[in-house]
Amino acid sequence: MLFASGGFQVKLYDIEQQQIRNALENIRKEMKLLEQAGALKGSLSAEEQLSLISGCPNIQEAVEGAMHIQVNPPYYIPLVELVPHPETAPATVDRTHALMKKIGQCPMRVQKEVAGFVLNRLQYAIISEAWRLVEEGIVSPSDLDLVMSEGLGMRYAFIGPLETMHLNAEGMLSYCDRYSEGMKHVLKTFGPIPEFSRATAEKVNQDPIQELTLHVIVPSPSLFWSVPISQPCLAWSRRDTPWTGCTGVGEALLCVVQWLF
């Protein structure tokens, strides 16, 4: 879907013909829904994009003439980590970078291979400290998540940690001069890698956090509401009537997408 949205011909490969048929049918349904919601990527219609996608049970035929091979590219997350092998030609990385930009993705270059990629390493660092704070009884699981959803996450949705450091002082050098000692003092109190024990997992599992809440935020302050996604909820939709009933997170998020686009 992602590459078809950029006007490229796409071949889906699987050794099972039925898997290909199922995939093509699912893609058709999803594209039609996205088009109805005004959330389909690219300038081509759903039918035009679908005409670019075909299936192939033969690997040699699938890769013949291919300029790029990728497994399950994400449709909604624009970030792409490009991780070249030490022997990968720089021109190959440049070409892939340009291709990702062309189809609307946001590629970044990882200078050398590292376990977990960059995104997961940052994510695991947050999860690690979050787990320790809950395990040591410093904060409840639900309040821990509030720190992210109502605080840190709102900041990092727009700018990164290094940009934040730069803007919180008169540049990076000033930030480090002011705050490095304080940060090191706190960092020294961080514990070892968590064991993710069963006891703590059960503690988190029993917290009210399990009744997830979908927060829908729209420009008008009067149109902000939160509801448990396990129950029918209301979300703004531009497709038909102003309010559309949603029975779960998938439908609710689709309604939000419909409104946003």
Side-chain angles (χ1 to χ4, degrees):
M1 289 172 56
L2 190 59
F3 290 96
S5 71
F8 292 95
Q9 288 191 330
V10 178
K11 288 184 180 179
L12 303 180
Y13 164 74
D14 196 284
I15 58 174
E16 295 290 340
Q17 190 70 46
Q18 187 59 47
Q19 290 289 87
I20 295 174
R21 286 194 290 268
N22 292 343
L24 291 172
E25 181 59 27
N26 288 336
I27 289 171
R28 171 171 290 277
K29 291 178 181 178
E30 189 165 351
M31 277 195 176
K32 290 295 185 179
L33 283 173
L34 288 169
E35 187 172 51
Q36 281 185 316
L40 186 68
K41 288 191 173 187
S43 59
L44 301 177
S45 68
E47 284 299 332
E48 288 172 323
Q49 293 187 31
L50 288 166
S51 70
L52 296 172
I53 305 174
S54 60
C56 182
N58 182 281
I59 186 65
Q60 287 80 16
E61 182 182 340
V63 301
E64 184 179 357
M67 61 176 293
H68 184 79
I69 299 172
Q70 187 167 339
V71 178
N72 296 333
Y75 193 78
Y76 297 104
I77 304 297
L79 179 70
V80 179
E81 294 188 44
L82 301 180
V83 190
H85 184 272
E87 296 183 9
T88 301
T92 300
V93 180
D94 292 340
R95 184 173 66 249
T96 305
H97 190 279
L99 174 62
M100 293 298 123
K101 296 275 285 186
K102 183 177 177 65
I103 62 174
Q105 297 298 88
C106 186
M108 50 82 68
R109 302 170 194 259
V110 180
Q111 303 300 324
K112 59 182 180 180
E113 291 186 77
V114 62
F117 301 99
V118 175
L119 186 150
N120 281 339
R121 291 179 73 90
L122 291 173
Q123 179 174 251
Y124 293 165
I126 293 172
I127 289 174
S128 177
E129 182 57 17
W131 194 271
R132 280 194 295 264
L133 291 170
V134 170
E135 191 165 57
E136 294 173 9
I138 295 170
V139 65
S140 70
S142 53
D143 281 347
L144 186 286
D145 274 353
L146 280 177
V147 172
M148 182 62 69
S149 63
E150 303 299 326
L152 194 60
M154 299 179 76
R155 171 189 291 169
Y156 286 169
F158 298 97
I159 59 176
L162 300 183
E163 289 175 303
T164 301
M165 293 169 68
H166 181 86
L167 293 173
N168 276 350
E170 291 75 43
M172 185 62 72
L173 296 179
S174 173
Y175 186 94
C176 290
D177 289 341
R178 291 187 191 183
Y179 305 118
S180 61
E181 289 303 316
M183 287 192 295
K184 287 191 290 184
H185 174 74
V186 174
L187 288 168
K188 288 176 182 177
T189 68
F190 282 30
I193 297 172
E195 294 296 329
F196 299 103
S197 68
R198 178 78 178 187
T200 303
E202 289 178 351
K203 179 180 179 180
V204 174
N205 192 56
Q206 293 168 4
D207 192 271
I209 187 180
Q210 295 306 305
E211 187 178 281
L212 297 177
T213 299
L214 174 66
H215 295 279
V216 181
I217 303 174
V218 293
S220 171
S222 63
L223 292 178
F224 171 81
W225 68 96
S226 302
V227 290
I229 62 171
S230 57
Q231 301 174 7
C233 60
L234 293 174
W236 181 268
S237 171
R238 198 174 62 182
R239 184 170 61 181
D240 39 42
T241 56
W243 296 98
T244 299
C246 302
T247 58
V249 65
E251 289 186 46
L253 289 177
L254 177 58
C255 290
V256 174
V257 168
Q258 291 170 356
W259 189 91
L260 290 175
F261 292 91

